[in-house]
Amino acid sequence: MTRVVHPRTFGSDLNMTAFIQYTVQGLAAGGFYALAALGLAIIFGALGVVNFAHGSAYMLGAVLSAVLLTTLNVHFWAALVIVPLLMFAFGILIERLLVRWLLRLDVLYNFLLTFGLSLVLVDVVKNLYGVSGLPYEQPAGLQGLIHVGGVTLPKYQLFVFVFSVLVCVIVWVLLTRTRAGMIVRAATEDPDRARALGINVSRWITPVFGFGIAVAALSGVLAAPFRAITATMGTNFVIILFAIVVIGGLGSILGAVVAGFLVGLVEAYGQAYAGTFAQIAIFILMVIVILVRPAGLFGRRDAA
Amino acid sequence: MAHTRRKVVGAVALLSSAMLLAACAGPAATSTSKLTDGKVVIGVLNDQSGVYKDLSGPNSVIAVQMAVDDYKAKYGDKAVATNIQIVKADTQNKPDVGNVKAEAMYDRQQADVILDVPASSVALAVAKVAAAKKKLYMNVTAATTDLSGPTCNKYTFHWAYDTQMLAKGANGVVAAGGKTWAIVYPDYAFGQNMSKSFTAAVEAAGGKVVASIPTPFPNDNFATFITKAQASNPDVIGIMAAGGDLINFVKQYNTSGAKAQLAVGLMFITDIHSLGVDQFTGTTFTDAWYWNYDKKNRDWADRFLTLTDTRPSFAHAANYSAATQYLEAVQRAGTDNADAVVKELEGKKLEDLFLRGGEVRADHSVIHDSYTAQVKTAAQVTEDWDFEKIIATNPAKDAFGPVNPECKL
């Protein structure tokens, strides 16, 4: 006689400690999303490119960290700097060699190009490193637990949340407080008006693309100690990223970041209180946002 | 003009002599061979590019080639199967693709037997093709017990392992004090089957399943499910995910500070290799075969290493075993006629590299000794892939579940 005890869905875990743990887990998951979505939003804003290869950039960030660790003994903390720099260069290369040539055509062309590129990148990694994943050690100093006011939290997840917020804040400061940032923001949020004001928008396009790729790769570096490092790790990830960008509002950088954390939370609460419906919950959220605010939470009205 | 005519004459001459040669060779070949079509074709149908590529995939084709080489070396001139071909195809782990590829193998490539076929859904689809074509099918890498249950048939054999064999590992864990379990499983055919088998095994051993938690599949975020499993305060958390999801789970489990012991439902040695031995240290699981268990296994694994640059998983050894036993059955039968070969396999006791105390049961489940393995600590590992300590050998009779009453042959 088998007896399967199903956990009660709603209500049973409603104690405060578990709720705080779920919240931190959601914010950590949101950190991965927010960083990658930030890059996706910047690229879409400045180039009008729906970058389907963004999941591959996330994947390459994690794979590069693992390869650098095993071959050159580059540790997590160094990889946080080196990998985004390498991927920035990779992004510039992709923009110069491929994306640039299709910018004047319909957006579908670059969508198909980056989709094809993602397939190529996934298969190259599969061929080089197999399918079962690469090993990665827990970074020094981030193992174990931390006790905050009676609640036990895993250090690494807390770190992912704090670090990703920090990076988002830094990017925000760069975008709002520096001249280069303001130009990029103007070019991202309203390229036509920026051009009309005499800003050479196309000169900024290449580094902006590289930057977007680098931020996604940074998210991948953060994922290396925490998730399976495989060629296909970005394949489902990128679908959720698109949902996030739609929820946040196409072209809105702040929207992408806020929606990234929001989706992380929805996922965690969904998993905690509604079981396997968690993944649908994200798309239900997307449908509601599209119905109520077609331009997304932070989107411009005309973007819809 | 003359030039063209000479060309035509040349071509006709060539063609006719070729036909003459074929006419001579044709009857000669069939007169000495009792093979149905002058050759034995072994089809390896598996995942050549996706998630199961490393644990079986192209290297299983090499393992089958090793079996063919060994058969030829053993019987030499007395071999019944003189002309042996190996063909392979990729199912992409999709039942419809597997179905089409299996039909093509049996019909166009004249395969006499199909081996491997990972992913339970694909495996069950191919079993139906084998029954319809009346050709042999030895499944190696799929876990579902349905192969020797509702979808069992005369031509299908389930070779290496199933969810009930894996679940027997729970006995040892319960006996060692792991009385209460939380089972976390991916919510699809494989995970549900695993969860059922493990729940039954834990309760049969006197333990109790206090929580049973389904997760989405595939999934890269298990933190919340780990917290939920912990909330029921179990001695053991049993994870039934496989491949990349298993790695996601274990990485997140190890950062979560969860205190329960971790039991893994299905683990391939490639999983330990890809995650690193540190992350799995102390984890116990049921293994169907381990390359460094004894000298016989090790010698074979050394041969495998020189051909593939890697150590074999149990799936590689099991494919070798299935191909070997198929050829041995052809040898005993004196023909590759499917019904004659099936007769030579049914009810037989078999011994080889992979099958220790092996026996083909009435439901065509091929039972054999299984092993309770524990992942070593990094300090205990003396060479690459030397990850497992075998802490118990489970005799074939106890290693598998009872004969499935749903199978009527």
Side-chain angles (χ1 to χ4, degrees):
Chain A
M1 181 63 195
T2 62
R3 195 169 60 89
V4 180
V5 183
H6 281 288
R8 297 253 164 72
T9 46
F10 287 94
S12 69
D13 287 330
L14 263 181
N15 66 64
M16 212 51 205
T17 314
F19 182 77
I20 293 170
Q21 283 175 332
Y22 295 146
T23 306
V24 171
Q25 286 156 1
L27 291 173
F32 295 111
Y33 291 141
L35 283 182
L38 170 70
L40 195 62
I42 288 180
I43 289 176
F44 178 78
L47 286 81
V49 170
V50 183
N51 180 27
F52 206 91
H54 218 66
S56 307
Y58 163 79
M59 176 271 288
L60 284 178
V63 168
L64 267 181
S65 320
V67 171
L68 285 174
L69 178 70
T70 43
T71 54
L72 300 172
N73 210 20
V74 174
H75 285 280
F76 177 73
W77 297 103
L80 277 179
V81 179
I82 295 171
V83 171
L85 285 177
L86 288 173
M87 289 302 290
F88 178 74
F90 178 73
I92 284 187
L93 212 65
I94 295 296
E95 203 278 337
R96 279 283 155 131
L97 294 177
L98 300 169
V99 173
R100 162 155 301 212
W101 305 99
L102 299 177
L103 281 181
R104 251 172 275 160
L105 301 174
D106 192 278
V107 285
L108 266 180
Y109 284 84
N110 256 322
F111 182 76
L112 290 175
L113 172 81
T114 50
F115 178 65
L117 188 66
S118 74
L119 295 180
V120 171
L121 290 173
V122 166
D123 271 20
V124 165
V125 172
K126 263 189 199 171
N127 254 325
L128 287 175
Y129 305 110
V131 294
S132 46
L134 297 164
Y136 203 85
E137 62 186 23
Q138 291 291 316
L142 294 177
Q143 291 139 327
L145 304 169
I146 192 166
H147 302 277
V148 189
V151 183
T152 315
L153 297 168
K155 271 190 201 166
Y156 192 76
Q157 292 182 29
L158 212 56
F159 166 77
V160 170
F161 170 57
V162 173
F163 184 83
S164 51
V165 168
L166 205 67
V167 172
C168 291
V169 169
I170 290 172
V171 171
W172 186 249
V173 170
L174 283 177
L175 286 173
T176 51
R177 295 278 177 270
T178 65
R179 187 178 146 70
M182 283 191 224
I183 292 173
V184 168
R185 203 154 53 97
T188 302
E189 307 214 334
D190 201 342
D192 291 335
R193 201 170 298 172
R195 268 193 207 95
L197 290 171
I199 296 167
N200 186 353
V201 172
S202 62
R203 195 161 67 92
W204 290 94
I205 279 178
T206 310
V208 164
F209 190 86
F211 182 78
I213 296 289
V215 186
L218 183 63
S219 177
V221 180
L222 283 179
F226 194 63
R227 290 182 175 170
I229 308 170
T230 64
T232 49
M233 67 187 288
T235 317
N236 286 317
F237 189 77
V238 75
I239 306 289
I240 303 205
L241 285 189
F242 283 131
I244 289 167
V245 173
V246 169
I247 291 170
L250 282 171
S252 166
I253 295 166
L254 180 65
V257 171
V258 172
F261 284 110
L262 184 65
V263 162
L265 281 176
V266 167
E267 197 177 85
Y269 293 145
Q271 288 181 351
Y273 302 114
T276 44
F277 293 105
Q279 280 175 331
I280 306 171
I282 294 166
F283 295 99
I284 292 175
L285 176 68
M286 187 177 88
V287 168
I288 292 171
V289 168
I290 289 176
L291 284 175
V292 179
R293 282 184 65 94
L297 294 180
F298 294 81
R300 296 185 306 272
R301 216 160 280 265
D302 59 314
Chain B
M1 193 63 197
H3 185 70
T4 324
R5 190 179 308 148
R6 203 183 311 151
K7 243 187 179 170
V8 171
V9 170
V12 169
L14 202 68
L15 202 69
S16 51
S17 49
M19 281 166 76
L20 191 70
L21 271 176
C24 291
T30 43
S31 68
T32 58
S33 170
K34 297 188 185 81
L35 302 178
T36 46
D37 47 10
K39 62 187 175 187
V40 167
V41 181
I42 301 175
V44 180
L45 181 60
N46 63 16
D47 179 358
Q48 293 276 322
S49 55
V51 287
Y52 305 127
K53 179 187 162 213
D54 290 353
L55 62 87
S56 181
N59 283 347
S60 280
V61 181
I62 293 175
V64 169
Q65 183 63 52
M66 288 167 77
V68 171
D69 294 345
D70 288 353
Y71 168 80
K72 283 179 176 165
K74 183 177 173 188
Y75 290 104
D77 293 342
K78 294 193 187 74
V80 172
T82 44
N83 181 6
I84 306 172
Q85 283 177 12
I86 299 172
V87 295
K88 63 174 180 185
D90 191 347
T91 65
Q92 300 164 27
N93 299 323
K94 293 175 185 152
D96 50 337
V97 177
N99 193 59
V100 170
K101 294 282 170 83
E103 283 185 350
M105 265 190 174
Y106 284 135
D107 289 343
R108 287 215 295 281
Q109 299 180 302
Q110 295 169 297
D112 296 294
V113 60
I114 286 179
L115 302 180
D116 210 9
V117 196
S120 295
S121 52
V122 190
L124 293 170
V126 174
K128 286 179 186 144
V129 179
K133 304 283 176 194
K134 300 193 191 310
K135 292 277 183 69
L136 268 87
Y137 166 42
M138 295 160 131
N139 184 281
V140 171
T141 323
T144 178
T145 44
D146 287 357
L147 279 169
S148 53
T151 47
C152 79
N153 62 67
K154 184 181 172 183
Y155 301 95
T156 297
F157 295 84
H158 196 193
W159 213 257
Y161 76 114
D162 59 34
T163 54
Q164 287 187 354
M165 184 207 94
L166 297 171
K168 291 277 178 171
N171 290 343
V173 179
V174 174
K179 296 284 181 211
T180 54
W181 283 57
I183 290 179
V184 181
Y185 65 96
D187 205 2
Y188 73 111
F190 165 77
Q192 291 155 358
N193 198 327
M194 286 288 281
S195 169
K196 215 171 98 188
S197 295
F198 267 79
T199 304
V202 167
E203 288 177 354
K208 195 172 172 222
V209 176
V210 291
S212 181
I213 302 168
T215 73
F217 169 79
N219 182 30
D220 58 10
N221 187 8
F222 285 100
T224 317
F225 296 116
I226 294 166
T227 305
K228 260 169 106 170
Q230 275 293 99
S232 54
N233 240 329
D235 299 328
V236 181
I237 292 181
I239 173 67
M240 303 300 142
D245 277 18
L246 173 64
I247 294 171
N248 274 317
F249 183 91
V250 173
K251 275 188 169 178
Q252 288 157 29
Y253 187 83
N254 287 344
T255 60
S256 73
K259 285 182 197 72
Q261 184 194 342
L262 186 65
V264 175
L266 169 59
M267 183 135 78
F268 285 90
I269 196 163
T270 43
D271 295 323
I272 311 175
H273 188 258
S274 62
L275 193 46
V277 77
D278 277 336
Q279 300 248 12
F280 275 119
T281 292
T283 305
T284 55
F285 62 101
T286 308
D287 204 346
W289 183 85
Y290 177 52
W291 70 272
N292 206 7
Y293 173 68
D294 60 9
K295 189 173 180 310
K296 190 175 179 180
N297 290 7
R298 203 187 156 89
D299 288 346
W300 188 81
D302 286 344
R303 273 176 67 200
F304 188 85
L305 181 69
T306 55
L307 294 169
T308 61
D309 272 340
T310 180
R311 291 293 185 184
S313 73
F314 79 70
H316 296 128
N319 272 297
Y320 172 88
S321 161
T324 301
Q325 295 304 339
Y326 172 76
L327 290 170
E328 291 286 348
V330 169
Q331 187 70 21
R332 286 196 297 273
T335 171
D336 64 349
N337 175 284
D339 293 288
V341 176
V342 167
K343 205 169 276 175
E344 284 302 327
L345 283 169
E346 280 181 332
K348 286 283 187 299
K349 295 210 185 297
L350 305 172
E351 283 291 327
D352 63 28
L353 169 82
F354 177 82
L355 299 174
R356 309 293 171 87
E359 188 186 339
V360 184
R361 256 178 7 184
D363 57 1
H364 283 197
S365 166
V366 181
I367 60 167
H368 58 94
D369 294 356
S370 76
Y371 309 89
T372 306
Q374 186 168 40
V375 180
K376 291 182 175 179
T377 62
Q380 291 170 327
V381 174
T382 54
E383 62 182 302
D384 202 12
W385 296 95
D386 170 38
F387 301 142
E388 296 177 24
K389 195 168 86 183
I390 302 300
I391 50 180
T393 302
N394 318 308
K397 285 266 177 282
D398 309 325
F400 285 76
V403 174
N404 199 323
E406 286 182 87
C407 173
K408 291 178 179 65
L409 285 173

